[in-house]
Amino acid sequence: MGRLMRANLHRLKKNRIFWSFAGILICWNFIQTVLEVRTQAGHDAALRFLPQAGALFWFLIPLHLLLALFCGLFVGEEYRDGTIRNKIILGSSRRTIYLANFYTNALVGALLFLAGAGSGILFRVLFSLEIPGEQILLPGIAGMVSCCAAASVYTLPAMLLSKRPVGTAASVLIAAGMLMAGFSLQERLAQPMEQKTYVTENGTVSWETEENPEYVGGDVRAVCEMTCDLLPGGQTAQILYGTLFGSGWNRGIRLAVLLACSLAVSCLCNSMGIFFFWRKDIFP
């Protein structure tokens, strides 16, 4: 394992795609910060000190897509060059090869997250924007671990599909699908239980409260919440909406639950990946 990891890290250090993706996230944060400042310029200066739940973490959307693209390209290069076949011939087990690539991709996910979060904080300091520390630390920990879990999801098709374009496309489509599913679930869960409507009677306008037909409750809500916690895209949506640590939860317990969900996703995807990779025909 150590030899394979050293080889992967050596490749990563010289990988232009990785450094380009880190640069893209830094540029994303710079543009976002400038737009935030321009948006606030026409309003009261006190608005700068209002907490903005997920403003720092909007880079997570391009990060997931870039991470999926990296996983497909990085692993696909090994298939294209025959590196995986050579590793097996030289005595490395398929399980070790799979896990070495996952660990490398998870490291890339963590490094890209740190590049995004670090540059975001730096630009907000330079432009004198509010940085609510209590709304950054715990979501940041959950977000970085979620990116590592997402790497296990994107590594799965990359390792099982030998053709580089196919594996890369599958990883990116999965990333986009998880993000859309996460935001869709978050939109449903954000619906209030009741809604107010205008009622006009004898020329008098009044408000009436009625049940919201879009509200999700009962067992369906519990399933949606669990799915949102398990999906890396779901955790991303909760971070951006500021609902990751909702009312009624102890923040420490809630963080432990989210980390456990990310660990479960990683274990499941890696177990499936190793199982099918072990049976994959690499010697046509």
Side-chain angles (χ1 to χ4, degrees), residues 69-275:
L69 185 58
F70 176 86
C71 292
L73 294 175
F74 188 81
V75 174
E77 184 178 356
E78 289 201 325
Y79 274 116
R80 184 192 63 187
D81 298 340
T83 307
I84 289 182
R85 183 174 62 250
N86 293 338
K87 288 178 179 178
I88 295 175
I89 293 174
L90 292 175
S92 297
S93 70
R94 297 196 179 206
R95 174 180 174 275
T96 303
I97 294 172
Y98 189 99
L99 289 178
N101 282 328
F102 160 66
Y103 292 147
T104 304
N105 291 335
L107 176 63
V108 169
L111 292 176
L112 290 178
F113 180 89
L114 292 175
S119 61
I121 293 174
L122 175 62
F123 292 140
R124 295 178 83 80
V125 170
L126 293 177
F127 285 93
S128 301
L129 291 176
E130 172 69 4
I131 306 177
E134 72 282 358
Q135 297 183 13
I136 289 178
L137 180 59
L138 295 184
I141 295 173
M144 185 168 68
V145 176
S146 177
C147 288
C148 295
S152 70
V153 180
Y154 309 146
T155 301
L156 182 61
M159 288 293 294
L160 298 183
L161 299 173
S162 304
K163 294 184 178 180
R164 192 185 191 194
V166 178
T168 302
S171 297
V172 174
L173 288 175
I174 290 173
M178 285 200 306
L179 287 172
M180 289 189 290
F183 278 94
S184 177
L185 287 171
Q186 185 59 32
E187 286 285 347
R188 293 290 305 277
L189 292 172
Q191 292 292 331
M193 184 181 298
E194 297 178 340
Q195 61 183 5
K196 293 183 176 181
T197 57
Y198 282 113
V199 176
T200 304
E201 186 176 351
N202 298 327
T204 303
V205 178
S206 61
W207 288 94
E208 278 193 2
T209 302
E210 60 181 22
E211 290 187 4
N212 183 3
E214 299 295 327
Y215 176 76
V216 179
D219 293 338
V220 176
R221 186 175 188 85
V223 172
C224 289
E225 289 175 344
M226 178 57 68
T227 305
C228 214
D229 287 344
L230 285 171
L231 286 177
Q235 289 197 25
T236 296
Q238 293 181 75
I239 291 173
L240 299 188
Y241 278 96
T243 60
L244 193 65
F245 296 91
S247 59
W249 274 91
N250 177 282
R251 294 174 70 85
I253 295 176
R254 175 63 174 159
L255 178 62
V257 170
L258 294 170
L259 297 183
C261 288
S262 295
L263 180 61
V265 169
S266 296
C267 291
L268 176 63
C269 289
N270 286 329
S271 297
M272 289 176 56
I274 292 172
F275 177 82

Side-chain angles (χ1 to χ4, degrees), residues 12 25-26 59 93 220 280:
L12 182 61
L25 292 177
I26 293 173
F59 69 87
S93 70
V220 176
K280 180 178 174 60

Side-chain angles (χ1 to χ4, degrees), residues 39-51:
T39 301
Q40 295 183 8
H43 301 281
D44 190 273
L47 289 177
R48 296 191 177 195
F49 301 99
L50 292 176

